[in-house]
Amino acid sequence: MRTLIVCAISLAGAALVAQQTGVFSVLSSTVAPGKQAGGYYLVPTNQMLRPWGELTVIPGRPVDMAFDSQKRVLAVLNTRSILFMDGSAGTKLAEVASKPTSYAGIAFRPGNRELWASEASRNGPDSILIVQISELGMPGAISRIDLKGHPVPVGIAFSADGKTAYVAFSRSNTLAVIDATTHEIVKELEVGMAPFGVAVSKEHGRIYVTNRAGRRPAANDTVAPSAGSEVATDPVTGSTVSGTLSVIAADTLAVKEVPVGLAPSDLILSPDQKLLAVSNSHSDTVSLVDVATLDRHDVKIPTFPDAALGSQPSSSVFAPDGKTLYVACGGNNAIAVLKASGKSWSVAGAVPTAYFPSAIAIDSQGALRVLNIKGVADTANGRGAFNSTQYKGSLETIPALTPLQVTSGTREVRAANMPQYEPAGGIANLTSLGIEHVFLIVKENRTYDQVFGDIAKANGDPKLVMYGHDITPNHHALAERYVVLDNFYAGGAISFDGHQWLEQGFVSDYTERAFASSPRGYAWNMADALTVAPTGFFWQSAARPLDVRIYGEFQIAAKWDPVKRTAQDMDERDTLSWSEYWKLYKEGKWQDAVGARSGVPALQKYCSQRYPYSSLSIPDQIRAEEFLRELAEHEASGQLASLSILTLNQDHTNGTRPNVPKPAAMVADNDLALGRIVEGISKSRFWSKSLILVVEDDAQNGVDHVDGHRTVALAIGPYVRRNAVDSNNYNHTSMIRTIQEILRIPQRTRFLAAARPMTSIFTADPDVKPYEHLTPAVAPDEMNPPLKALAGRRLWAAQQSQKMNWKDIDDAPADTLNRILWWDAKGYDTPYPARTAK
């Protein structure tokens, strides 16, 4: 009988493995993202998902979770709420509304009668939400500990008796010791920079804290800003150079610091409390620290394909026997399984999850519970087509794993991260084209259908067009002269992650966790060292020195000083109005009123100090003027950078706010500037060896009938095909990989290593005919009407636009802004788009 049972279990396990590890089919070259015929999902970062567990969809971007001590209830830290899930079934029991939540930080107080959760807004004030729990584990009354200033609470842990809470204050660089009964902050201890996770060991009388930005800077360190502090950084890349673990004696509160890997996140003690596991998301390692000796052993988590960076371990949990460690790896969309052999640990394999797992736990039955920040990348809006800000995470339940499943799961994780496509065609060897100058032009926030839905020969929906041929004649002329890219996707959802995908082919878990409110600052310009990958920016791995020129990207507010011949920092509140800048432009006096400084100090040497930073108050015509002025200097000298990166941001719009141009006028300004820049390059001596790539950083401010990530992209140049529609599946990392292929730059992140070069857009037969720019039908200075001239929904739209913060990119509520832009373009009686089937 025992033999029969063992055989039955083995056969059942083999059947499950066979079902879960079927080989992925080769993808059509023109496949669209989303659910595929085989039941798996293709996402805009060129990865496939076939989660092994049962998924519970969570609207929002959930980042952290905690079981009560009896594992009856699982509490989830979501974007603006706390979810209470059944500890066995994983079903939703209740939901408590919250303020915007932090990167992490949720814990049951010993005794299971209170739940504490970290709340943090973009500019403060911050708080700790306390939820009273009934005997049945259900939420009741709530209260808050209001925190002074803007400390940004993250990890939360309690002493064994529940009398003391320890909370990481990320922005204050301290650990708060809080009386859990009176809610008074007893003491704040200085720890490392940007503390994140907290764990408490009763056995050794210690509190452990991970520090994302590592040690405090020394006098001889290169430093860069991060949320009001200076952190030690690499002088070339601008990324942080250390990660540390603060070890605090519970009785004396004395602090000792131990080095671990880069960007340490979550940490957890083994069941016997002899070992501490620290997940280092920028080193792709787990540091296993002996708590008695503080000796450390690092285990490398592989990437697929192999690269310098990309598995991104950020959370872990020990199996009850302490001999297995499960690690959530956001970059691999997988759980890595580490096994102990004596005192050494190694990676046994991995199993697939949904999109970007950020937290992991084990339930009372031994099953894994995995929290996935991005679910399966579904951007369907039940009220209106597809939009990139329709966030849906998931809670996944994976039954206890057998060794055979771990072995086979590894094969599936590898295949899912290295999808195979049918050939795209075109030019395989891009260096053979002899292109020497690449221009990457980054714009803001439009979907494909908003601009190109009226191109009849391509896959567009004309009903969704808002800024068609009359408003964007240059975009249309360039697309139709060269290639219409109607299957191109942004890797990110908003500017916060969109610019990071474009400039480094990597987005940190620090950014992926921050979508509730970006509590340490909305560093879309990467003026926060914690967002910068240790591999740096996509061009920095070039084997030979590469001449790079940056116009606008990464920049912060400044203006040119003609006497000192440098840009001087300025308070962004001192920015002039759009009308004042326009007047200076018309008078030819704008030169000393604009400028920029790099928000990433390591990139300052590459940056134009006279090109305007990305303010919505500065017309794109000024950007075009400054670029063309400098291009003329290059024309005279015969010297031009191999790579030029430009921003043109006016297509973001200011909604219908009075005293600024209409949305259509700002989009037209953007179009005209693009046309003028392309014309200037095409008439220069460099044209015959040039390539211009144009793309939006994201597609958040509109809807699309294919996917919320589908966006506007252009390829322009003598070696680009003419009069073609190219429907091959490409995305942000495809565009960057293309630049890397042309300029012989190695790929150092797993996303770029797996990216598809855009070979199909090229031809070996060059055409050097220059481009003549077109003038949009809408003038750039066509202004929104004043409030007194409005009524009804138009008045409401203008009032809402007036309330929005336009100085801080993307601080405007996207859902409201999208409707305002739709009604402004289509008529205020036109219903917002109903969902269109894929």
Side-chain angles (χ1 to χ4, degrees), residues 653-663 784-785 787 790 794 796-799 801-802 806 817 820-821 824 828:
T653 85
N654 275 304
T656 57
R657 181 165 66 102
N659 302 316
V660 298
K662 293 179 177 179
N784 285 319
L787 293 179
L790 303 172
R794 287 181 174 82
W796 170 87
Q799 290 171 332
S801 298
Q802 195 169 45
W806 299 104
L817 177 59
I820 291 172
L821 296 178
D824 175 75
Y828 282 83

Side-chain angles (χ1 to χ4, degrees), residues 455 457-459 482-486 721 723-728:
I455 297 179
K457 64 183 180 181
N459 181 19
Y482 295 102
V483 291
V484 181
L485 296 167
D486 65 353
R721 292 166 60 201
N723 305 310
V725 175
D726 191 321
S727 297
N728 285 291

Side-chain angles (χ1 to χ4, degrees), residues 54-75:
E54 182 179 347
L55 300 180
T56 299
V57 175
I58 297 177
R61 289 177 70 104
V63 295
D64 200 3
M65 61 184 175
F67 270 115
D68 67 0
S69 63
Q70 298 173 344
K71 299 197 174 182
R72 296 182 306 165
V73 177
L74 180 66

Side-chain angles (χ1 to χ4, degrees), residues 99 119 125-129 143-149 151 183 185:
K99 296 178 180 178
E119 298 176 316
D126 306 323
S127 53
I128 298 170
L129 175 68
S143 60
R144 284 184 170 85
I145 301 175
D146 294 320
L147 304 174
K148 295 179 180 179
H183 299 165
I185 297 177

